[in-house]
Amino acid sequence: MSRPGRPAVAVIGGGASGALAATALLERSGADVIVVEPRPRLGRGVAYSTPDPQHRLNVPAGSMSAYPDDPDHLLRWLSGRGGDEGTPLSFPRRSTYGVYLAETLRDAGERRPGRLTHLRDSAAALRPSGGGWDVVLQSGASFHADAAVLAVGPAPSRPATAWQQSLHGDPRYIEDPWADDAITRLPDGPILCIGTGLTAVDVTLSATEWSRCASVVAVSRHGLRPLAHRVDGAPPWAPRLAGSRPASALGLLRTVRAEVALAHTRGLDWRDVINGLRPSVPGLWSALPEAERERFAHRLGRFWDVHRHRLAPEVARRIGGLERAARLRFEAARVTGVTDVGGGLLVDLRYPDGSTRGELVAAVVNCAGRSADIDDQPLLAGLHAAGLCRRGSAGLGLACDTTGRVLDASMRPGSLFALGPLRRGDLWESTAIPEIRRQAFDLATAAGAAIPSPARMAG
């Protein structure tokens, strides 16, 4: 814990966002850092705890350094381990990246002995106290911090439909595919994934490799599935926006399409355009009126995501092989009901043309993603109810200022910070390491300036 006379910052959550925030705080502030995380190992979180070697990063290693000003840090670390993952265009295992984040944080702590503490607990509440925060833990203990950082990821989705509620507790329905034993609990036979995104891809890879799952069908409203990275590492396209900022979701879509068409005439493709647009996304997002942000999030966001968050080439090849072998198919359909037929579950599917069909499966896996609603997280819901935070734009995450300070109900920033997915409402692009590491170091600089220094405390 914090030493007397020295300021402390509490980091709530020890996954990737929390590890990056703690590393940055150790590097850029003079405060002790107390990470509240129930898992025994820091840096993993949901994304990087997977033991499956088939689960790869969806951003090449050359862009995944923990340090925004040292882009080769990860590459040097990978080279020291040997193997074939240490090239700029490689896509390392996600479990390997979790080790990297943990060791990077450990090294930062060892260079500053006594300043890093890991509390294996969960935060139940944050209460303002003396310009800082009293952190109340699930165990009943509490401690005081001069500032706090919210580094929590999205919560598991709540059962939203009658059929999901009816299957709650049924071992044939996997509500959380990231639970430790989710894949090992799958029964023999075909499975149906609700969702066609990255989670469905991960579940498919694990289920077809490690269980006796013969086949997978993945369904979603549009049937959109993740696309693949290029393997040649072409440079990003420099978008010719000419300072224009479309004021509608439709105008933004037309702008992107025009950029893709122009790039195509130069021998490039849409991937290069998406890569080139990435730094401009926060500005484009902020230029949209609130109603248009909501329209983009609810109607076009999924189309952006499948182009923006792409599969490693080796993962795409594996998925393509499963499709060609008739062991996997993606479909545009929605589930209208599920019936227990004794030997399995009969899933009623309705297609966009109005037709219906039943799919007999051994299990159903919820791959529809995690919830961005702060009401689904008791800690955030408590802060919101007390007026200590407000919802972000389009209902996504929390409203923050440009340094990541959380705005209260009166739009005032204080000593509470947020990063990662919680800032998606302000920035839209806020779930990938390149954005989060920059946020972490900017946040650490702001926190270091905001909290009392030892000299000021002594005086």
Side-chain angles (χ1 to χ4, degrees), residues 233-293:
W237 167 258
R240 302 191 176 196
L241 299 178
S244 65
R245 292 190 174 186
S248 69
L250 182 58
L252 188 57
L253 175 63
R254 288 171 175 165
T255 296
V256 174
R257 283 178 170 170
E259 290 290 324
V260 170
L262 182 59
H264 185 70
T265 66
R266 308 292 176 83
L268 301 174
D269 75 4
W270 60 266
R271 296 169 183 83
D272 308 307
V273 173
I274 297 299
N275 294 343
L277 282 172
R278 188 167 172 175
S280 304
V281 167
L284 293 169
W285 175 254
S286 66
L288 294 175
E290 179 63 21
E292 291 299 320
R293 293 187 202 178

Side-chain angles (χ1 to χ4, degrees), residues 2 15 26 34 49 59 67 148 216 221 232 244 250 263 275 283 289 294 296 304 328 338 340 395 397 400 410 438 450:
S2 176
L26 289 168
I34 304 165
S49 291
V59 175
Y67 290 92
V216 178
R221 183 176 54 170
D232 57 5
S244 65
L250 182 58
N275 294 343
E294 292 181 3
F296 183 92
W304 170 263
L328 168 65
V338 179
D340 184 350
C400 299
S410 300
R438 182 75 267 169

Side-chain angles (χ1 to χ4, degrees), residues 402-424:
T402 56
T403 64
R405 292 193 298 173
V406 174
L407 303 177
D408 65 16
S410 300
M411 297 292 288
R412 295 172 301 192
S415 58
L416 181 63
F417 296 78
L419 79 166
L422 290 178
R423 294 191 63 188
R424 199 175 189 202

